[in-house]
């Protein structure tokens, strides 16, 4: 999802996706898609702090428990 929205060719799950070229413009769309897909509500501060795919996965997993 991050690769698609950010039009990134590749992305290591532990790399900061903003440093890899993901634009903050796409962040709102990513947040909306993640919340819809995984049926969670992510706090803005938590979402902003989760700058890797691994961190987002962990955040979503924590919300689903």
């Amino acid at each position: 999802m991050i690769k698609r929205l950010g039009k990134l060719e590749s992305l290591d799950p532990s790399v900061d996706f903003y440093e890899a070229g993901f634009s903050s413009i796409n962040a709102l769309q990513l947040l909306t898609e993640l919340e819809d897909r995984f049926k969670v509500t992510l706090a803005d501060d938590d979402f902003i702090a989760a700058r890797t795919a691994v961190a987002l996965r962990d955040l979503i997993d924590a919300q689903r428990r």
Side-chain angles (χ1 to χ4, degrees):
M1 190 178 303
I2 296 167
K3 283 175 37 178
R4 177 180 51 80
L5 290 174
K7 297 181 175 95
L8 304 175
E9 203 167 296
S10 65
L11 180 67
D12 181 306
S14 62
V15 170
D16 183 316
F17 45 82
Y18 290 102
E19 290 179 14
F22 188 81
S23 170
S24 60
I25 295 170
N26 300 109
L28 181 58
Q29 186 176 5
L30 175 62
L31 175 62
T32 302
E33 286 192 29
L34 288 171
E35 289 181 333
D36 288 346
R37 180 174 181 182
F38 296 103
K39 308 295 184 228
V40 294
T41 300
L42 303 175
D44 291 340
D45 291 342
D46 293 338
F47 175 74
I48 291 168
R51 296 179 60 99
T52 67
V54 171
L56 282 174
R57 180 203 61 207
D58 293 345
L59 179 61
I60 291 167
D61 285 347
Q63 289 293 316
R64 295 176 83 187
R65 290 185 198 136

